[in-house]
Amino acid sequence: MLDFVQQLVSGIALGCVYGLIALGFVLVYKATEVVNFAQGDLMMLGGFFAFTFIGILGLNYWIGFAGAVICMALFGMLAERLVVRPILGYPQFSIIMATIGLGYFLRSISGMIWGTDDFKIETPFSQGVLRIGSLVLAYDKLSVIAATVILCALLYLFFNRTTLGTAMRASSENMLAAYYMGIPVKRVVSIVWAISAAVATCAGVLLAPITFIHSNVGLVLGLKAFPAAVLGGFGSIPGAVVGGVLIGVIESMAGFYLPQGWKDVAPYLVLLAVLLLKPEGLFGLHVRKKV
């Protein structure tokens, strides 16, 4: 039973990281109907920024964390302006290829700047455990879960209780109608990309105590976060987080209880089973088409 609880907590912690990356997929898609396949690489780049501020420059953890988030928010706006905006309106395939190319570019640049070694960020939660009887839970995993809950709550309040959040939701529902109502749609889309990159950075920094940061970590985690977004219902913000947690828990349990090799396969088998029964995902809206 203790092993089950520890694996459950580990899976939820890893799933929270998947969920935050998936959240970036969903935010961009809802605002522009663009799938940003560089989302995982934005997380990787944010992790490297945090490592530079905290590990190399020796800044306080929280200051370095905030600095990385701000830098990546600005980078997200720049990426939207230079890569995506010029080809909006073109076939979706063109935009998908542009974001894939952006991901390759970020991995190459990161490898040239920081090298190909693995890096780890020391955090206030890296050491120490919470003991509940015979149960031992690491602070680093509990901090990931707590930070994800807080971040999701802040995003919920932002999107539902602020004028800018309302403008973003309006733009995601109908961009043309929002433009006619006086909403600066281009600025809103840039801010969405900034938020998406900032959330990805939070995932990268929170991931640092659990695993190492390297130039290909974004590709690996992005390939798991995208199915999480699909599982939750692509376009559903709560679904992205729930889908990520489910993928993380299934992966953790399969790695502990099933033979070697099932850890990477089991989440995709569950995804296929869910989509066969509920093609729109767990939280997606069902749209029935007339034939």
Side-chain angles (χ1 to χ4, degrees):
M1 184 62 184
L2 292 178
D3 289 336
F4 175 82
V5 175
Q6 289 178 334
Q7 291 301 316
L8 179 64
V9 173
S10 298
I12 292 174
L14 183 60
C16 286
V17 175
Y18 293 157
L20 290 178
I21 303 173
L23 192 59
F25 278 113
V26 171
L27 289 174
V28 171
Y29 181 79
K30 282 178 68 66
T32 61
E33 294 188 349
V34 171
V35 179
N36 176 23
F37 281 102
Q39 187 65 29
D41 297 295
L42 292 177
M43 181 220 70
M44 173 270 300
L45 186 61
F48 273 125
F49 271 121
F51 171 76
T52 300
F53 293 145
I54 300 169
I56 298 178
L57 298 180
L59 297 179
N60 175 271
Y61 173 77
W62 300 108
I63 296 176
F65 196 149
V69 169
I70 292 171
C71 287
M72 284 304 299
L74 295 174
F75 182 84
M77 297 178 73
L78 181 65
E80 186 275 333
R81 183 67 183 85
L82 297 180
V83 178
V84 178
R85 190 179 299 182
I87 56 176
L88 280 178
Y90 285 83
Q92 286 289 324
F93 181 75
S94 302
I95 303 176
I96 289 174
M97 291 307 298
T99 61
I100 292 175
L102 176 62
Y104 274 103
F105 173 76
L106 294 179
R107 290 195 292 275
S108 300
I109 290 294
S110 298
M112 287 188 286
I113 296 175
W114 288 282
T116 56
D117 294 334
D118 295 344
F119 299 99
K120 188 173 183 178
I121 300 174
E122 291 298 326
T123 76
F125 314 104
S126 297
Q127 308 297 327
V129 294
L130 174 66
R131 297 182 182 275
I132 305 175
S134 301
L135 180 64
V136 179
L137 301 175
Y139 280 146
D140 55 2
K141 294 181 174 61
L142 295 176
S143 68
V144 172
I145 298 171
T148 301
V149 172
I150 293 171
L151 185 58
C152 290
L154 292 175
L155 286 173
Y156 174 82
L157 293 175
F158 174 76
F159 280 109
N160 292 277
R161 297 290 186 269
T162 66
T163 303
L164 182 57
T166 303
M168 288 181 177
R169 288 192 292 119
S171 298
S172 68
E173 291 293 333
N174 191 318
M175 195 174 292
L176 186 60
Y179 177 79
Y180 285 142
M181 292 299 294
I183 295 175
V185 174
K186 291 183 178 179
R187 189 183 307 166
V188 166
V189 171
S190 291
I191 295 173
V192 168
W193 272 77
I195 294 174
S196 175
V199 170
T201 302
C202 292
V205 179
L206 294 173
L207 179 71
I210 300 176
T211 186
F212 294 101
I213 301 170
H214 54 85
S215 56
N216 288 317
V217 69
L219 177 62
V220 175
L221 295 183
L223 290 176
K224 293 184 178 180
F226 183 73
V230 175
L231 178 63
F234 214 88
S236 170
I237 292 177
V241 179
V242 173
V245 170
L246 287 176
I247 293 289
V249 170
I250 293 167
E251 182 179 316
S252 179
M253 293 297 181
F256 186 80
Y257 289 106
L258 298 180
Q260 186 176 5
W262 280 94
K263 177 181 178 180
D264 296 321
V265 176
Y268 295 98
L269 293 178
V270 173
L271 173 64
L272 289 174
V274 171
L275 292 182
L276 285 173
L277 299 173
K278 195 172 173 58
E280 67 277 9
L282 296 175
F283 291 84
L285 295 177
H286 180 67
V287 179
R288 179 175 295 176
K289 294 183 178 180
K290 295 182 179 180
V291 180

